[in-house]
Amino acid sequence: MNSALDLLGKGSISPIKFQLKTPLEHVKDSTVRYLKRKANEAVHSVLEHIAPGQSSQLLHLLARETSIINILTTSTVNTDLTNLIAKLYMEADNNTLKCQLLSMISSPDMHTKENLQSLIPGLSKWKIDQSRSHIATCGAGVPQQTQGSFYRNRMDPEKLEHALDFILDPNFVQICSYGTRNLKFDNGETVSIPEVVRTSCHSSLVQMYKTYCKESEFTPLADSTLYKILSTCSAAKRTNLSGLDNMAADGTTACDSLLKTIEDLSDHGVVKDKIMELKSGIKSLKLYLKSEYSRNIDMASTIPDH
């Protein structure tokens, strides 16, 4: 290379000291200036022998033709891309997706409304305006961000926490030794929890809670809200208390036996009113064993019944 430059420049061009082995973006500014100067000298020396005295004009002509080729190539690529997007637009069956695709080619500096309407048959000016609005708000081809579900909560947090403390009391809710239940949140997340059994029905639980609030002088949530909370905090329905609360299970069995015995008292001269009174007392006892007795039990109680 140096021999050729020496011959072309008739000894006026200094020799090249080295060949660049590293990328241009990683070299120092002084090295870049040196390389540009040597490249300019080498090119002008060649062009001066092709067109003496007109090397600069010839170099400008080469640069201009290269720019035109690049523009034509870019235009061809853009045309192919525009046709592809138009085809996808016509095949799309979702208006949101159509607006997103159209926003990629509907910019005023790319196409006019008339060009777009000739490119896509049946395209209205309103849809073009919508796609240009999409460009201004979201960006060309960028999917529109949808807001998540919004929930308004008018419940008093203090009352809600008070109700949950009572409803989730271990006296009314027991975890089974087998089985699981899937708990789904509003954000779509699902958590697997052990199977839970509620030992009291919803109506009894709500009634006990209202009685408890009355005794403690606390204003509870409305009945409909309490039932909705119980439905949301779902639990398995109890069909048999055996294994969950053997005391209550044995007690209800004993109550059933007593009720059958009371039926036979009429054959022994007991008046009907007394029989009804005994039945009412036994049924109340049975209901008490299924619901409130567990809350009255204490490790140290002065009440003999407990």
Side-chain angles (χ1 to χ4, degrees):
M1 184 67 181
N2 284 331
S3 300
L5 289 176
D6 184 61
L7 180 63
L8 291 172
K10 299 179 180 180
S12 62
I13 301 176
S14 60
I16 298 174
K17 299 178 181 180
F18 62 90
Q19 283 185 320
L20 186 65
K21 303 293 184 180
T22 56
L24 278 170
E25 58 269 17
H26 295 158
V27 299
K28 296 180 179 180
D29 294 340
S30 57
T31 305
V32 172
R33 289 194 296 270
Y34 171 79
L35 293 172
K36 286 172 63 177
R37 179 169 58 84
K38 299 307 294 183
N40 188 53
E41 290 176 352
V43 171
H44 275 281
S45 297
V46 175
L47 296 180
E48 188 66 27
H49 280 75
I50 297 174
Q54 305 180 72
S55 59
S56 297
Q57 292 87 334
L58 185 56
L59 181 61
H60 179 71
L61 180 62
L62 288 173
R64 181 183 175 188
E65 289 185 354
T66 303
S67 300
I68 292 175
I69 292 172
N70 290 335
I71 291 173
L72 291 175
T73 304
T74 304
S75 177
T76 303
V77 173
N78 289 339
T79 302
D80 294 340
L81 182 61
T82 301
N83 293 333
L84 176 61
I85 293 174
K87 183 179 179 181
L88 292 174
Y89 175 88
M90 290 184 289
E91 292 178 354
D93 55 357
N94 186 301
N95 290 331
T96 303
L97 179 60
K98 282 187 173 184
C99 183
Q100 180 183 340
L101 289 170
L102 188 59
S103 67
M104 299 173 68
I105 57 175
S106 63
S107 178
D109 55 353
M110 293 181 65
H111 297 284
T112 62
K113 292 184 178 180
E114 290 74 15
N115 289 342
L116 290 172
Q117 288 179 318
S118 62
L119 184 64
I120 304 176
L123 181 64
S124 64
K125 292 184 178 180
W126 181 82
K127 289 186 177 180
I128 297 175
D129 291 336
Q130 287 293 105
S131 65
R132 289 178 177 177
S133 176
H134 181 90
I135 296 174
T137 55
C138 303
V142 179
Q144 186 176 2
Q145 299 294 330
T146 57
Q147 294 183 351
S149 300
F150 178 77
Y151 299 93
R152 182 178 287 107
N153 183 15
R154 293 191 177 96
M155 241 182 269
D156 187 342
E158 183 181 356
K159 292 183 179 180
L160 176 61
E161 185 176 356
H162 189 269
L164 289 175
D165 286 341
F166 185 89
I167 292 170
L168 300 179
D169 191 288
N171 292 316
F172 307 122
V173 177
Q174 295 192 18
I175 299 175
C176 294
S177 57
Y178 62 90
T180 58
R181 176 181 294 267
N182 291 328
L183 186 65
K184 189 174 182 179
F185 295 96
D186 291 336
N187 60 4
E189 183 182 357
T190 302
V191 177
S192 181
I193 61 174
E195 184 66 80
V196 175
V197 176
R198 188 168 288 135
T199 58
S200 298
C201 62
H202 289 184
S203 57
S204 299
L205 198 55
V206 170
Q207 191 61 39
M208 284 189 289
Y209 176 64
K210 291 176 68 177
T211 304
Y212 171 70
C213 290
K214 185 177 180 180
E215 292 175 355
S216 58
E217 298 181 353
F218 183 85
T219 304
L221 295 169
D223 288 4
S224 58
T225 305
L226 293 174
Y227 280 109
K228 189 176 295 185
I229 293 172
L230 288 170
S231 299
T232 304
C233 302
S234 58
K237 293 182 179 180
R238 58 164 178 75
T239 56
N240 191 348
L241 290 176
S242 298
L244 296 175
D245 191 341
N246 292 325
M247 183 69 70
D250 294 341
T252 53
T253 303
C255 288
D256 292 336
S257 300
L258 288 173
L259 287 173
K260 291 179 182 179
T261 304
I262 291 172
E263 294 287 346
D264 300 333
L265 291 179
S266 58
D267 299 334
H268 298 279
V270 180
V271 295
K272 188 175 181 180
D273 292 341
K274 188 62 176 178
I275 291 176
M276 295 300 295
E277 182 182 350
L278 289 172
K279 281 187 177 181
S280 177
I282 295 298
K283 289 179 180 178
S284 298
L285 171 61
K286 186 177 180 180
L287 181 60
Y288 172 78
L289 288 172
K290 287 183 175 181
S291 57
E292 298 182 12
Y293 100 93
S294 58
R295 289 188 59 84
N296 291 331
I297 294 177
D298 196 356
M299 292 299 293
S301 177
T302 59
I303 303 174
D305 300 23
H306 298 174

